[in-house]
């Protein structure tokens, strides 16, 4: 089966996010002062071939841990759905 994963990777809450801070500061300049505490991360979509959802989950988890996310600075979450 083919599964589609939607992965969100964000900086850890304890770490500074310079890009997010710059965007937060810019919100005031464009007339949106009510928008604050912006955090910027990454979104990754991928497809994985696996015998079942559990195996697909393990493969996506391994990809996140080994390549897609820096465990020291980032956290990740993902959803997994069978392709129709």
């Amino acid at each position: 089966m083919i599964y589609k994963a939607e992965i969100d990777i964000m900086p850890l809450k304890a770490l500074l996010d310079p890009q997010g801070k710059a965007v937060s500061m810019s919100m005031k300049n464009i007339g949106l002062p009510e928008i604050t505490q912006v955090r910027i991360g990454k979104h990754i979509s991928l497809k994985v071939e696996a015998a079942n959802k559990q195996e697909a989950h393990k493969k996506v988890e391994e990809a996140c841990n080994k390549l897609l996310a820096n465990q020291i600075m980032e956290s990740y979450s993902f959803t997994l759905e069978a392709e129709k």
Side-chain angles (χ1 to χ4, degrees):
M1 289 191 73
I2 303 293
Y3 295 88
K4 182 176 182 182
E6 298 289 339
I7 306 164
D8 290 314
I9 300 172
M10 294 296 294
L12 294 174
K13 292 185 189 292
L15 297 178
L16 294 176
D17 178 4
Q19 189 177 11
K21 185 171 178 121
V23 170
S24 288
M25 299 292 281
S26 296
M27 289 298 175
K28 294 175 194 169
N29 298 336
I30 64 168
L32 296 169
E34 54 279 334
I35 297 177
T36 61
Q37 299 182 17
V38 175
R39 307 266 312 156
I40 296 178
K42 300 179 272 189
H43 181 83
I44 300 168
S45 295
L46 58 81
K47 293 185 181 179
V48 59
E49 186 174 343
N52 54 52
K53 192 170 185 176
Q54 183 178 7
E55 183 182 319
H57 188 277
K58 285 173 58 175
K59 288 179 184 277
V60 173
E61 187 85 31
E62 184 175 356
C64 289
N65 286 324
K66 289 185 175 180
L67 178 66
L68 301 177
N70 178 344
Q71 299 292 313
I72 296 169
M73 300 172 57
E74 299 170 318
S75 64
Y76 65 88
S77 62
F78 63 89
T79 59
L80 195 60
E81 292 184 20
E83 283 283 290
K84 296 179 181 192

